[in-house]
Amino acid sequence: MGFFELLARIYVAVFGVTFVYTIGERLGDKTKLGQWRLQSSLAVSNVAGWSLPGIDDSNWYQIGPRATVMAGLLENGVFDETTLFYSNNMETKIGDTAKFEAPWLYRREIWLKNKIRKGEHYFLRTHGITSKADIYVNGVLVAPSSIQQGSYGGHTYDITKQLGAGSNALLIQAYPTNYLRDFAQGFVDWNPYPADNGTGLWRDVTITKTGPVSISSPRVLTNFRNPDGKPVMVNVIVDVTNHENETVNGTVQGSIRSDTESFALSEQFSIRPHETKTIPMNVKIENPKVWWPAQWGSQPLYTVNVNAAVGKGKISDVAIQRRFGIRQVDSHVNSHNDTAFTVNGSPFLVLGGGYSPDIFLRFDVNRVRKIFQYMLDMGLNTVRLEGKQEHPQLYNLADEMGLMIMAGWECCDKWEGWEYNDEANGQKWTENDYPIANASMLHEAAMMQTHPSMLAFLIGSDFWPNDRATNIYLDALHRMDWPVPIIASASKRGYPKVLGPSGMKMDGPYDWVPPNYFYGDQLGAAFGFGSEEGAGVGTPELTSLKKFLSPEDLDSLWKNPDQNQYHMSRYDSSFYSRALYNKALFARYGAPVSLEDYLLKAQMMDYEATRAQFEAFSVRQNATRPATGVIYWMLNSAWPNLHWQLFDYYLAPAGAYFGTKVGAKFEHVAYDYEERAVYLINHSLERKGPRVVSVDLVDLQGKPIFSQEVTLDTTPIAAKKVLPVKAIDQIKDVAFLRLTLKDPRTGAILSRNVYWLSAQNDVLDWENSDWYYTPVTKYVDYKAVLSMPTVTVSASLEPLPARDGLAQVQVVLNNPSATPAVFIHLSVINKETQEEITPVFWSDNYVTIFKGESVTLIAAFSGDWSDCEVIMSGANVKRNILS
């Protein structure tokens, strides 16, 4: 232990302060403040006095490097997540809410070993405080809340004059957040709001020590356009600021590195007093390694390290290390007024989902990694962040894993407080709001700029910004050398002239619609770019539901189908009940006789909905009016929810997940409900050659109605019609259509897909559509499926060698009966807890097997197979434990 560390510990012992954090001593050091003390301002007096060193704060809550107020209280056991999330406890168990109507204080002490020398500077950098804050250092207000505003208001404050050798105190007073008044990170109607509305330090705070000049994080531009093997010019750009009263001369120097190559960077500068100068540096890469979305190729990354040296090579500041990929993203609005993207010159059909952060804005990079793994497993390629820009680690993961990101500002609150927005209650912008927008855009653009995963930034969601705000956003993005498309909004309501039409539609649905909806020619059907839409499904299975619903809540799901549900959207939302969904479920599948019966029917309906959405947009990717992209609403939920998710809060996949996994398959064969035709889908760039498509239609007894096999060539990034299924008219009640796709050269089954169909589709009342759904005047009748005789399916189970750190188990299912075995669900269960193991990656699930057919399914998951068992169940298959 060094002398100064010993002195710090003595200081702690004397004064009772829990942590005194030593900040970096070398020029260029960037210290992320590790732990904080948290307390309500109601519990203290003289707030500014608490920003002086040597005050005993040991009775305050201790939290990590970042936490909203609620996250901090959870961290300290004041509240318990399991209890809060159960039933409506988040509304009834919080207690006195007055504590959330007053500011909260974040305090810590920092240790400076030596006296600050001439030419040394210290900067406090904020990256995200919701929604505004006063910042004190050693009793001095260095940043008032009039400046430090907005969840994304990243700022740099020079605190050199306030610091001294020894202990220093930092105090941040975060003010209560109001989503309609503040530029915050809110949840609109996605779920109930957290008690604190996300108030507090949700991102890191850092302190940087520099010499006479500081250097920004590098930005990167390339002249790459198409992957044709030509040399690429890489332009690395930094801003260097002189903090002295005299001109400073020096050099920006560093390197670009890949796994196999290194390229030197160097550029001299001369900067006048208190001037900021932009320094570009160019490097030619003769044989560039091209970054691709995951389905199309690999994700090679280059690393940029640069610093600013002054005088005789003395390092003054070191830039944050950044990574970039060589790729090109473009967009255009086609002749149908629809936006279409290209990546590396090839048409890029966006298949994605809308992301939600944790309800208390807790960020767990390992959880995000699992979410992204699920996305790739489902065949999705894009995540939309509607005002939920999260942390740098999310973008790093997307870069590494090959997912595209569509970022942008959120809807329905202060962010869209425009005079022409009559659909939301956000306070209208005033003169004071534009600087907040500017700081927010500059900070977020700087964070995202180098990431090859960036697809676009939407400067509006439901509504476009006014001209002044648009210009501020554009100026900030251009200032940060923004390299990918900038889009006015996620809707076609209007647009600023400087940007032109958004080319994106936001016409719903958000609640249940039948599968044939997506094969229509109106609203959210599969044409153009659907920026957010879905049938409102995502019902968890029973093992998850029991974690957050009481017995009474569970009963209400099927006994009181119109009842409001606390675990849906907010109380003031159109989505506060499952009434529309349940009306369809009862009509199509029959009134449930038990909770288990209800959930089986719900999973079948969820599977239908998501499969149809992603298949339809894939089928029509090269139609006369092409489908160019769709974002399912939503990908995941902020807390345990009953809808708007492709997997549940506990990361358990259900019907919506596996419907998506089938519908977004890389090579696939799908059924168009309206045209009654089979289509061959190819999302690849290179796969060509013959494919064999087998079409089999059987009745409920397994008797053949229609069968045909066709061989045709597949075409990259295109869909083509295979054949019509005219025999649909011969269906008496319900029949099963099985489509299989095979590569005749290898014999590999590339796709297997089973539908349950009636002779007639659901009848949609398009003329009476609302903004969130289209009414159905006549429902299909699938009740006969749930009255089929029980069949016995043979199942063999075999553990496989672990792969990529995951245990694996193979299940081979065989149906010897003439009757199809319908909607068989497999789950991996922990023997002791009887809870489903998550995350789990099944090759397929909820499968329907015809007579004599054998289907092999493989599951991969973390853990030891010896602790697990596999449960099998189905629509006409009894629940069984496989061993």
Side-chain angles (χ1 to χ4, degrees), residues 172-188:
I172 298 177
Q173 178 173 225
Y175 288 88
T177 302
N178 182 309
Y179 296 133
L180 299 180
R181 179 196 65 209
D182 303 321
F183 289 97
Q185 183 178 185
F187 290 98
V188 195

Side-chain angles (χ1 to χ4, degrees), residues 601-659:
K601 293 168 178 175
Q603 299 306 336
M604 294 182 76
M605 206 157 80
D606 289 6
Y607 185 100
E608 279 187 288
T610 56
R611 176 177 62 179
Q613 179 170 333
F614 287 104
E615 284 185 341
F617 275 83
S618 299
V619 161
R620 293 185 172 176
Q621 63 184 299
N622 54 314
T624 301
R625 183 176 184 181
T628 58
V630 65
I631 299 293
Y632 180 77
W633 205 250
M634 298 175 63
L635 172 66
N636 65 307
S637 54
W639 79 315
N641 213 334
L642 291 169
H643 74 149
W644 281 0
Q645 57 193 357
L646 294 178
F647 46 88
D648 68 35
Y649 180 79
Y650 306 102
L651 301 183
Y657 182 102
F658 291 103

Side-chain angles (χ1 to χ4, degrees), residues 146-455:
S146 59
I147 300 297
Q148 183 60 53
Q149 283 202 43
S151 289
Y152 300 103
H155 291 276
T156 299
Y157 304 108
D158 189 337
I159 59 172
T160 309
K161 293 180 180 179
Q162 285 74 45
L163 295 178
S167 187
N168 300 266
L170 170 62
L171 183 80
I172 298 177
Q173 178 173 225
Y175 288 88
T177 302
N178 182 309
Y179 296 133
L180 299 180
R181 179 196 65 209
D182 303 321
F183 289 97
Q185 183 178 185
F187 290 98
V188 195
D189 62 349
W190 301 2
N191 40 256
Y193 296 167
D196 64 348
N197 283 356
T199 297
L201 270 65
W202 71 279
R203 275 186 181 161
D204 296 326
V205 176
T206 60
I207 293 180
T208 300
K209 179 181 181 180
T210 79
V213 301
S214 62
I215 186 171
S216 72
S217 174
R219 306 182 293 277
V220 178
L221 294 174
T222 76
N223 66 347
F224 176 79
R225 288 296 175 268
N226 293 303
D228 54 10
K230 292 182 179 179
V232 169
M233 188 66 70
V234 177
N235 188 11
V236 177
I237 307 159
V238 295
D239 300 321
V240 179
T241 301
N242 179 4
H243 303 287
E244 299 298 312
N245 295 322
E246 56 195 29
T247 296
V248 175
N249 299 312
T251 305
V252 174
Q253 56 195 12
S255 66
I256 296 174
R257 294 180 181 272
S258 69
D259 291 339
T260 58
E261 295 179 288
S262 180
F263 307 90
L265 297 168
S266 182
E267 188 69 33
Q268 293 183 343
F269 61 77
S270 179
I271 307 180
R272 294 192 299 269
H274 304 288
E275 178 190 20
T276 296
K277 181 173 285 188
T278 299
I279 311 295
M281 295 168 285
N282 293 320
V283 167
K284 181 186 286 188
I285 298 180
E286 294 289 345
N287 298 297
K289 299 175 181 179
V290 179
W291 188 96
W292 292 94
Q295 292 90 339
W296 285 353
S298 60
Q299 294 76 48
L301 296 169
Y302 292 83
T303 301
V304 180
N305 288 293
V306 291
N307 61 64
V310 297
K312 297 181 179 179
K314 182 180 180 181
I315 301 299
S316 179
D317 193 14
V318 178
I320 296 172
Q321 183 184 84
R322 300 301 296 264
R323 296 187 303 178
F324 71 94
I326 295 175
R327 61 88 180 91
Q328 179 63 26
V329 173
D330 291 298
S331 72
H332 68 279
V333 176
N334 63 23
S335 60
H336 303 284
N337 197 28
D338 301 323
T339 284
F341 289 94
T342 62
V343 176
N344 296 339
S346 295
F348 182 73
L349 175 65
V350 170
L351 300 176
Y355 170 89
S356 174
D358 172 77
I359 195 169
F360 303 121
L361 304 188
R362 297 167 296 182
F363 183 79
D364 180 349
V365 68
N366 291 322
R367 180 177 175 85
V368 175
R369 180 180 290 107
K370 293 169 185 175
I371 289 172
F372 283 3
Q373 287 171 337
Y374 267 174
M375 290 189 71
L376 293 174
D377 184 59
M378 286 186 283
L380 303 185
N381 55 33
T382 302
V383 56
R384 181 180 171 203
L385 308 177
E386 190 204 330
K388 312 295 181 287
Q389 266 54 272
E390 281 285 20
H391 296 258
Q393 296 96 316
L394 179 144
Y395 303 88
N396 291 337
L397 279 178
D399 294 343
E400 295 164 5
M401 300 173 72
L403 279 166
M404 304 304 294
I405 293 178
M406 183 185 299
W409 302 124
E410 70 184 47
C411 83
C412 311
D413 47 32
K414 176 64 179 182
W415 290 96
E416 293 190 346
W418 312 117
E419 295 298 332
Y420 44 85
N421 181 357
D422 57 359
E423 297 183 7
N425 297 318
Q427 291 185 10
K428 306 308 179 187
W429 283 40
T430 66
E431 191 68 26
N432 295 331
D433 295 321
Y434 293 95
I436 303 170
N438 182 53
S440 301
M441 191 72 264
L442 283 168
H443 185 273
E444 298 307 286
M447 179 183 72
M448 301 176 190
Q449 196 274 344
T450 63
H451 291 284
S453 53
M454 294 307 302
L455 184 69

Side-chain angles (χ1 to χ4, degrees), residues 72 191 257 339 349 375 413 481 503 550 569 582 659 682 707 733 841:
N191 40 256
R257 294 180 181 272
T339 284
L349 175 65
M375 290 189 71
D413 47 32
D481 301 293
S550 68
S569 299
N582 285 334
N682 186 343
S707 181
D733 37 31
F841 302 92

Side-chain angles (χ1 to χ4, degrees), residues 437-485:
N438 182 53
S440 301
M441 191 72 264
L442 283 168
H443 185 273
E444 298 307 286
M447 179 183 72
M448 301 176 190
Q449 196 274 344
T450 63
H451 291 284
S453 53
M454 294 307 302
L455 184 69
F457 196 96
L458 280 60
I459 59 171
S461 180
D462 294 25
F463 282 83
W464 68 103
N466 69 18
D467 287 345
R468 182 177 175 187
T470 296
N471 289 331
I472 284 174
Y473 288 146
L474 292 180
D475 287 347
L477 286 161
H478 295 327
R479 173 68 181 85
M480 291 295 111
D481 301 293
W482 190 250
V484 299

